[in-house]
Amino acid sequence: MGTERTLSIVKPDGVRNGVVGEVIRRFEGAGISIAAIRMIHLAKKEAEGFYAVHRGRPFFASLTDFMSSGPIVVMVLEGDDVIARNRKIMGATDPAKADKGTIRADFAGSIEQNIVHGSDAPETAATEIRYFFSELEIVS
Ligand code: ATP
Ligand code: MG
């Protein structure tokens, strides 16, 4: 464990619904630092690249349409055990199964349109951070 970095995304539904500030407030309230942040509107191909591990899943086309449907906020979060802690703050993928008080339980509309993304392991965090940020764009 110790200090880690993870990639967080406020997905297009989160930006459309105006919960960017609320999501960031929850991270900062938990003592998690923002080490990089940017808004970007992914092209379909870029969304496919990001979710390449899910290529072949039945929801891949719909998911990548959704992820390229509007601007997103990409962030590098930094803190102790931040990969697991971020996922706890987000809640389960399916908002119907997410614990009360999590971002997805409070704001998500469906298993696909679930407001936030968070890396699930150190290796995926490193790959996902590199997809959006160069080392020079990340403060420490
Ligand atoms: P994320 O990777 O976005 O943080 P996750 O790790 O909780 O979420 P994954 O299983 O990695 O979930 O799925 C990636 C994303 O694909 C989900 O966040 C969701 O947007 C979408 N997704 C996952 N399962 C389904 C499904 N059964 N139907 C539709 N969309 C899905
Ligand atoms: Mg995942």
Side-chain angles (χ1 to χ4, degrees):
M1 246 151 275
T3 297
E4 290 175 339
R5 284 175 176 172
T6 193
L7 185 83
S8 167
I9 301 179
V10 182
K11 297 182 179 184
D13 54 338
V15 174
R16 273 194 288 271
N17 298 345
V19 297
V20 173
E22 175 61 20
V23 168
I24 292 173
R25 191 192 69 73
R26 290 181 184 209
F27 295 153
E28 291 185 328
I32 293 168
S33 306
I34 298 168
I37 183 164
R38 187 167 77 249
M39 193 162 232
I40 181 175
H41 187 154
L42 293 176
K44 170 85 169 168
K45 282 258 177 298
E46 294 165 340
E48 289 172 350
F50 180 73
Y51 276 122
V53 292
H54 293 306
R55 195 179 282 282
R57 302 280 278 281
F59 56 84
F60 183 72
S62 169
L63 173 63
T64 52
D65 277 344
F66 162 58
M67 286 300 289
S68 57
S69 69
I72 61 175
V73 175
V74 288
M75 289 177 268
V76 176
L77 304 181
E78 199 167 70
D80 215 54
D81 195 24
V82 74
I83 295 171
R85 287 173 63 221
N86 176 42
R87 288 181 69 87
K88 206 153 181 181
I89 293 167
M90 293 195 302
T93 311
D94 181 352
K97 295 180 182 149
D99 288 341
K100 251 183 87 182
T102 61
I103 291 169
R104 283 163 168 169
D106 288 348
F107 303 115
S110 71
I111 190 169
E112 178 178 276
Q113 305 207 6
N114 58 4
I115 305 285
V116 279
H117 163 83
S119 311
D120 59 11
E123 300 71 36
T124 47
T127 308
E128 291 176 0
I129 288 169
R130 236 182 293 115
Y131 197 75
F132 291 105
F133 295 100
S134 79
E135 196 55 40
L136 288 174
E137 295 173 307
I138 305 171
V139 303
S140 220

